[in-house]
Amino acid sequence: PTLRPIALRRLGQLATPGRMTPDLRERLLSSLAADEPPTRLAAIEAAGASGDADLADALLRATQDRHVSLRRAAIVALAAVDSGRGSS
């Protein structure tokens, strides 16, 4: 099940690289594929904040979203994930 945008935003505030659990990762992946743009946007932002490299493929797919604002957010999130990988 997907998380609501408010929960995803909170997750993004709490997320730090290396603290992603398998359950949260699955929920984020599900939310990244949600029908609702606000849910996808919140999931993209939370994924970027998490620094979890396992979400990079899903973020890469999000760069092809039909909404330009989500594509832009996905690019920013990918850069955050990539910079997190470089510091490990």
Side-chain angles (χ1 to χ4, degrees):
T2 62
L3 295 173
R4 293 178 185 235
I6 189 93
L8 289 164
R9 284 189 192 92
R10 184 68 178 132
L11 175 61
Q13 292 169 348
L14 296 173
T16 58
R19 293 189 63 202
M20 182 64 62
T21 66
D23 180 57
L24 289 176
R25 185 178 296 112
E26 286 304 314
R27 287 176 183 250
L28 269 179
L29 287 169
S30 175
S31 297
L32 284 164
D35 289 334
E36 305 82 15
T39 300
R40 290 195 311 275
L41 177 59
I44 288 167
E45 292 170 345
S50 76
D52 187 354
D54 289 338
L55 297 172
D57 287 342
L59 287 172
L60 189 59
R61 284 189 298 277
T63 66
Q64 302 300 311
D65 196 278
R66 66 184 173 273
H67 296 279
V68 69
S69 61
L70 275 68
R71 292 193 304 261
R72 288 182 184 143
I75 291 167
V76 170
L78 269 171
V81 166
D82 188 53
S83 98
R85 273 194 283 193
S87 65
S88 337

